């Protein structure tokens, strides 16, 4: 299958923009060994965790080590009107990193310093290559932590660029709420700063929010200031199995509507539990399951857990099984985070097409149960996981990458899931971003007028369309 065929449903035509020899010579002269044209390096930076597998790699890869490196590289690319694709750790799921128009991949993984920890103000400033696990390891001694947890050990820069969230979002919010300030290299190579360490501001346009979620299409994020939080006094985690997905979901809906401040509540279906058991050598009951975590004082944690246990019993849930020690909790959540890879390994050689819808909590059962029925009827192997406390769930369709028929059926299922979410007042992407895969859905969700305004902003800030072109906004 060639690249245009594989991408036809999201991008009618790929239009490469070859990097001119003068640019390649200038990059080699300025950066030396930091710049690579080796095919193995280029191929590594030309793929992510999406189902797209046949897009050509970038023309070269720059391993940036400072904001000055990024600014100089962008200036050189701007002079030659050559695309710039920011790269963190490659864990994105919607084709964000693919060099669909060629260009230079700017890898910020070496920009991995925690620059300042202001424990008294509950803020931290980091370079974009810092990963979430690294950040929490480095601030653990302060008694603070950064709660945004998308599962993969993603880079903070990538998490900001995609407006990521994850398992803790139901209590602590997403990157949108937790990024206070940014340093950004614009399409001209200028370095600007947005926001401050203050918790709020009414000064001018909110440029921080503009760049958070822009997926590299407006600039390269080179520094991020984040909110951090005190480690909870008490943490308790539990597993609860249910006879059906519907009863598990209704337990979550009632829990949220009652205002229980649960920190995490994750749904995994029987397919996912089976894959997790095989992958992580666990013995979880192979039935629809909620994984929950409660944060607070010992008394408040006990009260929260008792309340949710009673709600679960009303919906035929089993008694909670507790993970009482930090080691048990880590094992449980590691298994949940590995559910994607566990599912992929359950069908060797497959690729996964993922959905990422989010709906108002009152409509979660409607959206999820109909999506499950459609997947069951399709005959395509699938799995279901969800950050259901905030109405976000993922269907993962495991397809043979060489089968046009399976890809077409999976994409049709995806379109049906998105259409249902939009009809229920939801969104086509709760956390993965638009990338390549959801550009058409963005128009359906936001409307032509809003997307035209986005395109106007893109044109104003990036007139030569060099910042991660071909993503978010369809041509």
């Amino acid at each position: 299958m060639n690249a245009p065929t594989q991408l036809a449903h999201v991008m009618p035509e790929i239009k490469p923009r070859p990097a001119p020899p003068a640019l390649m010579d200038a990059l080699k002269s300025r950066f030396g060994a930091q710049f690579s044209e080796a095919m193995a390096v280029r191929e590594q930076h030309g793929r992510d965790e999406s189902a797209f597998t046949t897009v050509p790699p970038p023309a070269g890869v720059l391993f940036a080590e400072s904001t000055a490196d990024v600014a100089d590289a962008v200036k050189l690319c701007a002079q030659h009107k050559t695309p710039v694709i920011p790269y963190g750790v490659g864990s994105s799921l919607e084709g964000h990193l693919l060099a669909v128009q060629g260009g230079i991949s700017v890898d910020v993984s070496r920009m991995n310093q925690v620059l300042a920890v202001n424990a008294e103000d509950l803020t931290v400033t980091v370079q974009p290559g810092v990963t979430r696990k690294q950040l929490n390891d480095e601030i653990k001694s302060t008694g603070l932590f950064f709660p945004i947890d998308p599962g993969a050990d993603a880079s903070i820069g990538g998490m900001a660029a995609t407006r990521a969230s994850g398992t803790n979002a139901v209590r602590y919010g997403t990157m949108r709420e937790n990024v206070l300030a940014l340093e950004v290299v614009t399409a001209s190579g200028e370095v600007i700063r947005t926001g401050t360490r203050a918790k709020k501001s009414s000064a001018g346009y909110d440029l921080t929010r503009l760049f958070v979620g822009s997926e590299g299409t407006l600039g390269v994020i080179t520094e991020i200031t984040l909110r951090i939080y005190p480690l909870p006094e008490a943490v308790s985690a539990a597993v609860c199995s249910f006879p059906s997905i519907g009863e598990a979901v209704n337990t979550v809906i009632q829990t949220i509507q009652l205002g229980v401040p649960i920190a995490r509540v994750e749904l995994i279906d029987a397919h996912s539990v089976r894959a997790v058991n095989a992958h992580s050598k666990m013995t979880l009951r192979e039935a629809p399951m909620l994984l929950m975590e409660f944060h607070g004082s010992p008394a408040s944690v006990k009260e929260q857990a008792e309340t949710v246990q009673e709600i679960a019993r009303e919906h035929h849930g089993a008694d909670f099984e507790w993970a009482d020690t930090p080691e048990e909790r880590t094992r449980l959540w590691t298994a949940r985070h590995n559910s994607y890879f566990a599912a992929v390994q359950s069908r060797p050689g497959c690729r996964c097409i993922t959905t990422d819808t989010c709906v108002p909590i009152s409509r979660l059962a409607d959206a999820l149960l109909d999506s499950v029925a459609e997947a069951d009827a399709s005959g395509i192997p699938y799995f279901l996981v969800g950050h259901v406390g905030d109405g976000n769930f993922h269907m993962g369709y495991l397809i043979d990458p060489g089968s046009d028929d399976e890809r077409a059926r999976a994409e049709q299922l995806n379109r049906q899931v998105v259409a249902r979410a939009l009809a229920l007042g939801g969104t086509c992407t709760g956390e993965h971003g638009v990338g390549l895969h959801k550009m058409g859905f963005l128009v359906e969700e936001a409307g032509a007028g809003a997307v035209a305004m986005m395109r106007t902003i893109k044109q104003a800030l990036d007139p030569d369309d060099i910042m991660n072109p071909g993503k978010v906004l369809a041509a």
Side-chain angles (χ1 to χ4, degrees):
M1 185 186 298
N2 60 34
T5 299
Q6 193 181 86
L7 292 173
H9 68 287
V10 292
M11 177 182 290
E13 184 179 2
I14 293 176
K15 298 179 180 178
R17 296 156 64 177
L23 171 61
M24 304 302 279
D25 289 342
L27 289 168
K28 285 184 281 189
S29 175
R30 164 64 176 84
F31 295 106
Q34 288 176 244
F35 181 68
S36 177
E37 296 178 84
M39 181 56 73
V41 175
R42 291 166 54 205
E43 288 179 342
Q44 177 194 351
H45 289 76
R47 59 176 180 261
D48 58 10
E49 294 295 336
S50 72
F52 304 123
T53 58
T54 58
V55 178
V61 177
L62 169 67
F63 292 90
E65 296 179 355
S66 67
T67 297
D69 283 354
V70 176
D72 287 352
V74 172
K75 286 176 185 175
L76 289 170
C77 289
Q79 290 171 18
H80 296 274
K81 299 185 179 181
T82 298
V84 174
I85 305 105
Y87 184 97
V89 297
S91 59
S92 61
L93 291 165
E94 301 293 357
H96 298 92
L97 308 176
L98 306 186
V100 293
Q101 295 186 20
I104 304 301
S105 177
V106 177
D107 185 322
V108 298
S109 61
R110 296 181 186 178
M111 297 175 64
N112 60 357
Q113 299 300 307
V114 175
L115 300 174
V117 179
N118 299 102
E120 301 88 347
D121 298 321
L122 301 179
T123 68
V124 62
T125 300
V126 302
Q127 292 182 307
V130 171
T131 66
R132 65 173 185 88
K133 289 181 181 179
Q134 176 194 348
L135 173 57
N136 277 320
D137 285 342
E138 294 203 26
I139 65 174
K140 184 165 53 177
S141 63
T142 67
L144 302 169
F145 82 119
F146 179 63
I148 309 304
D149 179 4
D153 191 20
S155 67
I156 299 297
M159 289 168 63
T162 56
R163 202 185 298 132
S165 54
T167 59
N168 278 317
V170 64
R171 176 154 181 168
Y172 296 98
T174 72
M175 290 299 283
R176 180 182 64 186
E177 292 79 34
N178 287 285
V179 175
L180 293 170
L182 296 171
E183 178 185 81
V184 179
V185 174
T186 69
S188 67
E190 180 184 3
V191 180
I192 67 167
R193 290 184 174 273
T194 75
T196 70
R197 290 198 303 109
K199 287 295 193 290
K200 62 181 182 179
S201 171
S202 296
Y205 298 155
D206 191 346
L207 296 180
T208 304
R209 300 285 88 69
L210 178 63
F211 283 104
V212 172
S214 63
E215 303 184 21
T217 63
L218 301 179
V220 183
I221 295 170
T222 53
E223 191 175 294
I224 309 102
T225 298
L226 301 163
R227 298 174 187 265
I228 50 180
Y229 296 79
L231 285 164
E233 182 183 358
V235 176
S236 187
V239 170
C240 184
S241 296
F242 291 83
S244 72
I245 290 175
E247 287 161 313
V249 171
N250 286 322
T251 296
V252 175
I253 292 172
Q254 190 173 344
T255 296
I256 299 303
Q257 290 176 339
L258 282 176
V260 178
I262 194 166
R264 288 170 158 173
V265 54
E266 295 286 299
L267 171 68
I268 59 176
D269 72 344
H271 300 304
S272 300
V273 177
R274 193 173 302 115
V276 163
N277 279 343
H279 179 270
S280 299
K281 305 298 187 290
M282 300 186 75
T283 56
L284 298 170
R285 187 180 307 174
E286 293 183 359
M289 179 178 295
L290 294 179
L291 280 63
M292 295 164 283
E293 193 165 281
F294 306 94
H295 293 180
S297 67
S300 69
V301 163
K302 183 174 184 292
E303 180 182 8
Q304 292 171 45
E306 288 175 349
T307 299
V308 179
Q309 175 71 90
E310 286 304 310
I311 296 170
R313 285 177 179 144
E314 291 175 12
H315 296 283
H316 308 106
D319 288 343
F320 284 6
E321 298 175 37
W322 295 97
D324 293 318
T325 68
E327 293 76 18
E328 290 173 330
R329 290 196 300 272
T330 297
R331 185 164 184 253
L332 184 64
W333 288 109
T334 298
R336 159 61 184 92
H337 289 327
N338 287 339
S339 59
Y340 172 87
F341 302 104
V344 168
Q345 288 183 9
S346 72
R347 188 181 186 187
C350 76
R351 299 292 288 189
C352 183
I353 292 178
T354 59
T355 74
D356 176 34
T357 53
C358 185
V359 298
I361 192 68
S362 65
R363 308 310 302 271
L364 179 60
D366 298 328
L368 203 154
L369 294 178
D370 286 348
S371 299
V372 167
E374 289 171 349
D376 285 337
S378 75
I380 292 179
Y382 75 93
F383 66 98
L384 165 67
V385 295
H387 314 312
V388 285
D390 49 16
N392 186 198
F393 69 92
H394 311 293
M395 307 287 294
Y397 307 112
L398 305 175
I399 66 166
D400 176 352
S403 170
D404 288 340
D405 175 65
E406 287 195 13
R407 180 177 293 276
R409 280 190 286 152
E411 290 293 356
Q412 178 59 29
L413 289 169
N414 183 30
R415 284 190 289 273
Q416 291 168 192
V417 170
V418 171
R420 183 174 300 110
L422 297 183
L424 295 173
T427 177
C428 66
T429 173
E431 57 181 353
H432 295 167
V434 173
L436 281 173
H437 199 203
K438 293 187 167 68
M439 290 189 291
F441 299 145
L442 179 63
V443 178
E444 295 177 34
E445 177 176 330
V451 172
M453 183 174 289
M454 296 179 201
R455 195 172 283 112
T456 298
I457 294 169
K458 166 74 168 170
Q459 175 66 26
L461 299 185
D462 181 18
D464 293 320
D465 193 23
I466 67 167
M467 301 308 302
N468 205 12
K471 317 294 169 53
V472 183
L473 301 173

Tab-separated table of all heavy atoms in Angstrom, residues 16 31 40 64 75 82 90 93 123 126 158 170 181 209 229 251 256 267 345 354 374 377 413 417 420 429 469:
chain	number	residue	atom	x	y	z
A	16	PRO	N	5.429	16.749	-1.279
A	16	PRO	CA	6.756	16.899	-0.664
A	16	PRO	C	7.382	18.253	-1.007
A	16	PRO	O	7.198	18.791	-2.097
A	16	PRO	CB	7.554	15.741	-1.279
A	16	PRO	CG	6.529	14.777	-1.771
A	16	PRO	CD	5.366	15.599	-2.186
A	31	PHE	N	25.720	22.851	13.011
A	31	PHE	CA	25.474	21.904	14.099
A	31	PHE	C	26.424	20.705	14.121
A	31	PHE	O	26.464	19.986	15.118
A	31	PHE	CB	24.024	21.417	14.051
A	31	PHE	CG	23.028	22.505	14.318
A	31	PHE	CD1	22.278	23.038	13.295
A	31	PHE	CD2	22.855	23.006	15.589
A	31	PHE	CE1	21.355	24.046	13.529
A	31	PHE	CE2	21.951	24.015	15.853
A	31	PHE	CZ	21.193	24.547	14.817
A	40	ALA	N	18.761	5.435	9.297
A	40	ALA	CA	18.185	4.824	10.502
A	40	ALA	C	17.637	5.887	11.447
A	40	ALA	O	16.562	5.724	12.046
A	40	ALA	CB	19.237	3.979	11.219
A	64	ALA	N	18.608	19.095	19.037
A	64	ALA	CA	18.796	20.406	19.656
A	64	ALA	C	19.204	20.248	21.117
A	64	ALA	O	18.692	19.360	21.817
A	64	ALA	CB	17.516	21.223	19.557
A	75	LYS	N	15.389	29.411	11.926
A	75	LYS	CA	15.753	30.522	11.029
A	75	LYS	C	16.285	29.997	9.702
A	75	LYS	O	15.928	30.504	8.624
A	75	LYS	CB	16.803	31.404	11.706
A	75	LYS	CG	16.262	32.276	12.819
A	75	LYS	CD	17.399	33.046	13.505
A	75	LYS	CE	16.889	33.834	14.698
A	75	LYS	NZ	17.990	34.486	15.451
A	82	THR	N	11.435	25.515	4.378
A	82	THR	CA	11.456	24.059	4.562
A	82	THR	C	10.756	23.695	5.866
A	82	THR	O	10.984	24.334	6.899
A	82	THR	CB	12.909	23.554	4.587
A	82	THR	OG1	13.515	23.861	3.328
A	82	THR	CG2	12.969	22.056	4.823
A	90	GLY	N	8.277	10.455	20.526
A	90	GLY	CA	7.650	9.657	19.483
A	90	GLY	C	6.458	8.845	19.918
A	90	GLY	O	6.106	7.865	19.260
A	93	LEU	N	-0.130	9.433	18.802
A	93	LEU	CA	-0.967	8.389	18.220
A	93	LEU	C	-1.705	8.813	16.956
A	93	LEU	O	-2.420	8.005	16.371
A	93	LEU	CB	-2.005	7.929	19.256
A	93	LEU	CG	-1.443	7.153	20.451
A	93	LEU	CD1	-2.475	7.081	21.566
A	93	LEU	CD2	-1.023	5.763	20.035
A	123	THR	N	5.231	25.651	41.627
A	123	THR	CA	5.506	25.702	40.192
A	123	THR	C	6.871	25.094	39.909
A	123	THR	O	7.745	25.042	40.780
A	123	THR	CB	5.482	27.149	39.645
A	123	THR	OG1	6.586	27.887	40.167
A	123	THR	CG2	4.186	27.846	39.977
A	126	VAL	N	10.649	23.640	33.208
A	126	VAL	CA	11.421	22.550	32.614
A	126	VAL	C	11.661	22.816	31.136
A	126	VAL	O	10.952	23.585	30.485
A	126	VAL	CB	10.683	21.201	32.761
A	126	VAL	CG1	10.398	20.885	34.216
A	126	VAL	CG2	9.400	21.173	31.935
A	158	GLY	N	5.930	17.625	24.380
A	158	GLY	CA	4.910	16.968	23.576
A	158	GLY	C	3.554	16.983	24.251
A	158	GLY	O	2.513	17.153	23.593
A	170	VAL	N	-9.465	13.637	35.831
A	170	VAL	CA	-10.761	13.831	36.468
A	170	VAL	C	-10.644	14.693	37.721
A	170	VAL	O	-11.562	15.441	38.067
A	170	VAL	CB	-11.414	12.464	36.778
A	170	VAL	CG1	-10.605	11.661	37.778
A	170	VAL	CG2	-12.833	12.650	37.277
A	181	ALA	N	3.114	29.031	31.797
A	181	ALA	CA	3.917	29.894	30.934
A	181	ALA	C	4.747	29.044	29.982
A	181	ALA	O	5.043	27.877	30.266
A	181	ALA	CB	4.831	30.793	31.781
A	209	ARG	N	-2.427	29.560	26.172
A	209	ARG	CA	-3.472	28.619	25.767
A	209	ARG	C	-3.475	28.397	24.252
A	209	ARG	O	-3.882	27.338	23.775
A	209	ARG	CB	-4.851	29.123	26.194
A	209	ARG	CG	-5.067	29.342	27.671
A	209	ARG	CD	-5.235	28.070	28.485
A	209	ARG	NE	-3.986	27.519	28.951
A	209	ARG	CZ	-3.205	28.082	29.873
A	209	ARG	NH1	-3.530	29.219	30.441
A	209	ARG	NH2	-2.081	27.503	30.238
A	229	TYR	N	1.745	19.895	42.607
A	229	TYR	CA	0.793	19.705	43.703
A	229	TYR	C	1.447	18.952	44.859
A	229	TYR	O	2.337	18.122	44.637
A	229	TYR	CB	-0.418	18.902	43.212
A	229	TYR	CG	-1.226	19.597	42.151
A	229	TYR	CD1	-0.793	19.616	40.823
A	229	TYR	CD2	-2.413	20.238	42.457
A	229	TYR	CE1	-1.531	20.265	39.837
A	229	TYR	CE2	-3.164	20.886	41.490
A	229	TYR	CZ	-2.715	20.894	40.174
A	229	TYR	OH	-3.440	21.542	39.201
A	251	THR	N	-21.931	3.243	37.264
A	251	THR	CA	-21.285	3.504	38.556
A	251	THR	C	-20.454	4.773	38.487
A	251	THR	O	-20.491	5.611	39.398
A	251	THR	CB	-20.391	2.311	38.949
A	251	THR	OG1	-21.208	1.156	39.139
A	251	THR	CG2	-19.609	2.598	40.222
A	256	ILE	N	-19.469	10.615	39.731
A	256	ILE	CA	-19.113	11.976	39.335
A	256	ILE	C	-20.255	12.931	39.640
A	256	ILE	O	-20.035	14.046	40.140
A	256	ILE	CB	-18.747	12.015	37.836
A	256	ILE	CG1	-17.545	11.107	37.565
A	256	ILE	CG2	-18.449	13.447	37.389
A	256	ILE	CD1	-16.310	11.410	38.359
A	267	LEU	N	-11.820	2.646	33.144
A	267	LEU	CA	-12.567	1.480	32.692
A	267	LEU	C	-11.698	0.660	31.748
A	267	LEU	O	-11.067	1.210	30.832
A	267	LEU	CB	-13.827	1.922	31.946
A	267	LEU	CG	-14.606	0.817	31.225
A	267	LEU	CD1	-15.249	-0.132	32.220
A	267	LEU	CD2	-15.654	1.428	30.299
A	345	GLN	N	0.151	-6.606	21.157
A	345	GLN	CA	0.871	-7.880	21.153
A	345	GLN	C	-0.070	-9.079	21.060
A	345	GLN	O	0.347	-10.175	20.679
A	345	GLN	CB	1.739	-7.993	22.403
A	345	GLN	CG	2.955	-7.074	22.379
A	345	GLN	CD	3.836	-7.251	23.602
A	345	GLN	OE1	3.643	-8.158	24.395
A	345	GLN	NE2	4.804	-6.355	23.756
A	354	THR	N	-6.940	3.959	16.797
A	354	THR	CA	-7.561	4.304	18.074
A	354	THR	C	-8.592	5.409	17.913
A	354	THR	O	-8.436	6.309	17.083
A	354	THR	CB	-6.513	4.775	19.092
A	354	THR	OG1	-5.825	5.913	18.566
A	354	THR	CG2	-5.524	3.681	19.406
A	374	GLU	N	-21.264	-1.852	17.988
A	374	GLU	CA	-20.766	-1.768	16.618
A	374	GLU	C	-19.457	-2.538	16.456
A	374	GLU	O	-19.254	-3.229	15.451
A	374	GLU	CB	-20.568	-0.307	16.218
A	374	GLU	CG	-21.874	0.446	16.026
A	374	GLU	CD	-21.681	1.936	15.849
A	374	GLU	OE1	-20.554	2.430	16.082
A	374	GLU	OE2	-22.671	2.618	15.493
A	377	ALA	N	-20.043	-6.259	16.354
A	377	ALA	CA	-20.639	-6.705	15.100
A	377	ALA	C	-19.660	-6.674	13.933
A	377	ALA	O	-19.878	-7.352	12.921
A	377	ALA	CB	-21.857	-5.841	14.767
A	413	LEU	N	-15.771	2.405	11.600
A	413	LEU	CA	-16.131	2.349	13.017
A	413	LEU	C	-15.717	3.633	13.723
A	413	LEU	O	-16.474	4.197	14.530
A	413	LEU	CB	-15.470	1.142	13.685
A	413	LEU	CG	-16.010	-0.235	13.326
A	413	LEU	CD1	-15.080	-1.319	13.861
A	413	LEU	CD2	-17.420	-0.428	13.873
A	417	VAL	N	-18.053	6.320	15.770
A	417	VAL	CA	-17.817	6.710	17.165
A	417	VAL	C	-17.761	8.230	17.281
A	417	VAL	O	-18.359	8.834	18.190
A	417	VAL	CB	-16.510	6.080	17.689
A	417	VAL	CG1	-16.132	6.659	19.046
A	417	VAL	CG2	-16.652	4.566	17.801
A	420	ARG	N	-21.179	9.935	16.711
A	420	ARG	CA	-22.032	9.775	17.900
A	420	ARG	C	-21.607	10.762	18.985
A	420	ARG	O	-22.455	11.417	19.616
A	420	ARG	CB	-21.932	8.330	18.409
A	420	ARG	CG	-22.825	8.025	19.594
A	420	ARG	CD	-22.780	6.554	19.951
A	420	ARG	NE	-23.217	5.728	18.837
A	420	ARG	CZ	-22.421	4.944	18.130
A	420	ARG	NH1	-21.123	4.850	18.433
A	420	ARG	NH2	-22.888	4.250	17.129
A	429	THR	N	-11.685	14.375	19.833
A	429	THR	CA	-10.442	13.993	20.507
A	429	THR	C	-10.398	14.583	21.904
A	429	THR	O	-10.385	15.802	22.071
A	429	THR	CB	-9.190	14.391	19.704
A	429	THR	OG1	-8.027	14.129	20.501
A	429	THR	CG2	-9.208	15.834	19.256
A	469	PRO	N	3.697	21.282	8.884
A	469	PRO	CA	2.591	21.457	7.922
A	469	PRO	C	1.858	20.160	7.634
A	469	PRO	O	2.385	19.065	7.798
A	469	PRO	CB	3.319	21.960	6.669
A	469	PRO	CG	4.708	21.397	6.784
A	469	PRO	CD	5.021	21.421	8.264
